[in-house]
């Protein structure tokens, strides 16, 4: 399916629900400071690991290759046709109209208590295993299907707010994040500035815990110190 968000929108009250609040306020501050029109490209997908946003070649031969090995092991005996059928049957996978997606309406927009979240998720059709050729979290998946589509645009820099899903392999995030930045800079053939947010602590949201966040935050701190032209909020 094609998402209905893939075009330029003017900054109007009707259009704002489709866009990142972080991106909006960042652009607003930049426009006020520079007094020039500012365009922000919303190339993002919540709840995804950094490995999904980079060419797999940048993971090979590093400790970040654990993501490649896990995906290969999870899909080596995959029945592709059965997988695609189950994927299509799950309404949570329909990205055509983001604001009409039942998951986004209930979980993200309206907000639910933890008990209501559990009840809602239990009623949703579940895929036996999401790993497969259409899984948004697969290594390299969003790099190939989203980022490379943006590549023809000239950009001045990147703002980045991610890391929660890398809690699964927190020790490797230092490598994965720094290699991802290298991948993007190589793609644009420019040492793009990266401004990113250090993860904030929290208790529990859906299936997300935060036990390994201190290690992820430590990796983010390392990247801000060791990778040139990066800054951490």
């Amino acid at each position: 399916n094609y998402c209905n968000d893939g075009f330029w929108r003017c900054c109007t009250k009707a259009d704002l629900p489709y866009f990142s609040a972080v991106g909006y306020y960042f652009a607003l501050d930049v426009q006020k400071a520079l007094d020039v029109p500012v365009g922000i490209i919303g190339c993002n997908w919540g709840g995804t690991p950094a490995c999904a946003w980079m060419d797999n070649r940048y993971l090979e031969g590093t400790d970040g290759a654990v993501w490649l090995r896990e995906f290969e092991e999870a899909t080596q005996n995959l029945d592709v046709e059965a997988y695609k059928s189950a994927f299509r049957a799950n309404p949570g996978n329909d990205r055509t109209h983001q604001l009409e997606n039942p998951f986004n309406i209930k979980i993200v927009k309206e907000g639910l208590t933890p008990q209501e979240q559990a009840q809602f998720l239990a009623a949703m059709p579940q895929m036996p295993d999401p790993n497969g050729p259409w899984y948004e979290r697969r290594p390299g998946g969003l790099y190939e299907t989203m980022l490379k589509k943006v590549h023809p645009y000239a950009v001045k820099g990147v703002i980045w707010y991610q890391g929660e899903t890398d809690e699964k392999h927190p020790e490797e995030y230092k490598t994965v994040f720094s290699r991802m930045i290298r991948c993007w800079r190589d793609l644009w053939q420019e040492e793009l500035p990266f401004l990113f947010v250090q993860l904030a602590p929290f208790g529990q949201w859906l299936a997300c815990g935060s036990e390994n966040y201190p290690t992820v935050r430590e990796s983010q701190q390392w990247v801000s110190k060791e990778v040139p032209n990066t800054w951490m909020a």
Side-chain angles (χ1 to χ4, degrees), residues 102-112 205-206:
F103 181 89
N104 287 340
I105 291 173
K106 281 292 182 183
I107 299 291
V108 179
K109 188 176 180 183
E110 295 181 8
L112 300 176
W205 187 77
L206 299 179

Side-chain angles (χ1 to χ4, degrees), residues 72-127:
E72 183 178 359
E73 291 169 2
T75 58
Q76 60 184 351
N77 297 316
L78 182 69
D79 183 332
V80 176
E81 293 307 314
Y83 165 85
K84 291 180 177 179
S85 178
F87 191 97
R88 291 190 184 99
N90 189 334
N93 292 326
D94 184 0
R95 312 296 178 177
T96 311
H97 300 283
Q98 289 290 332
L99 296 188
E100 298 173 18
N101 182 303
F103 181 89
N104 287 340
I105 291 173
K106 281 292 182 183
I107 299 291
V108 179
K109 188 176 180 183
E110 295 181 8
L112 300 176
T113 67
Q115 294 76 19
E116 291 170 336
Q117 288 178 10
Q119 293 171 358
F120 176 78
L121 291 177
M124 289 281 287
Q126 298 297 311
M127 290 188 67

Side-chain angles (χ1 to χ4, degrees), residues 25-224:
Y25 283 107
F26 179 85
L28 187 66
D29 284 350
V30 171
Q31 184 160 313
K32 287 179 179 178
L34 301 181
D35 195 27
V36 296
V38 174
I40 297 288
I41 300 175
C43 185
N44 47 64
W45 194 316
T48 51
C51 69
W53 293 99
M54 57 195 295
D55 189 314
N56 287 342
R57 294 176 301 164
Y58 288 78
L59 292 173
E60 294 171 354
T62 74
D63 57 356
V66 61
W67 291 97
L68 301 177
R69 293 193 298 272
E70 284 187 349
F71 183 74
E72 183 178 359
E73 291 169 2
T75 58
Q76 60 184 351
N77 297 316
L78 182 69
D79 183 332
V80 176
E81 293 307 314
Y83 165 85
K84 291 180 177 179
S85 178
F87 191 97
R88 291 190 184 99
N90 189 334
N93 292 326
D94 184 0
R95 312 296 178 177
T96 311
H97 300 283
Q98 289 290 332
L99 296 188
E100 298 173 18
N101 182 303
F103 181 89
N104 287 340
I105 291 173
K106 281 292 182 183
I107 299 291
V108 179
K109 188 176 180 183
E110 295 181 8
L112 300 176
T113 67
Q115 294 76 19
E116 291 170 336
Q117 288 178 10
Q119 293 171 358
F120 176 78
L121 291 177
M124 289 281 287
Q126 298 297 311
M127 290 188 67
D129 186 342
N131 275 306
W134 291 348
Y135 188 37
E136 69 271 10
R137 297 186 184 185
R138 70 190 185 279
L142 297 177
Y143 173 80
E144 294 292 339
T145 59
M146 289 183 69
L147 188 71
K148 286 176 70 173
K149 310 299 183 184
V150 174
H151 170 235
Y153 285 102
V155 298
K156 297 294 289 184
V158 179
I159 57 173
W160 184 257
Y161 195 162
Q162 182 272 342
E164 291 90 344
T165 309
D166 282 270
E167 189 217 18
K168 182 180 179 182
H169 295 298
E171 299 288 350
E172 290 77 17
Y173 190 65
K174 178 189 300 184
T175 298
V176 175
F177 187 30
S178 59
R179 295 295 292 164
M180 191 208 78
I181 293 173
R182 183 70 268 153
C183 173
W184 287 33
R185 288 173 171 173
D186 289 348
L187 181 65
W188 264 274
Q189 297 184 332
E190 186 176 347
E191 294 299 296
L192 296 171
F194 262 73
L195 285 67
F196 61 93
V197 179
Q198 192 174 36
L199 291 189
F202 72 97
Q204 185 80 20
W205 187 77
L206 299 179
C208 298
S210 56
E211 294 83 2
N212 293 327
Y213 279 20
T215 305
V216 177
R217 286 196 289 271
E218 185 179 36
S219 295
Q220 292 173 316
Q221 182 82 21
W222 182 90
V223 169
S224 72

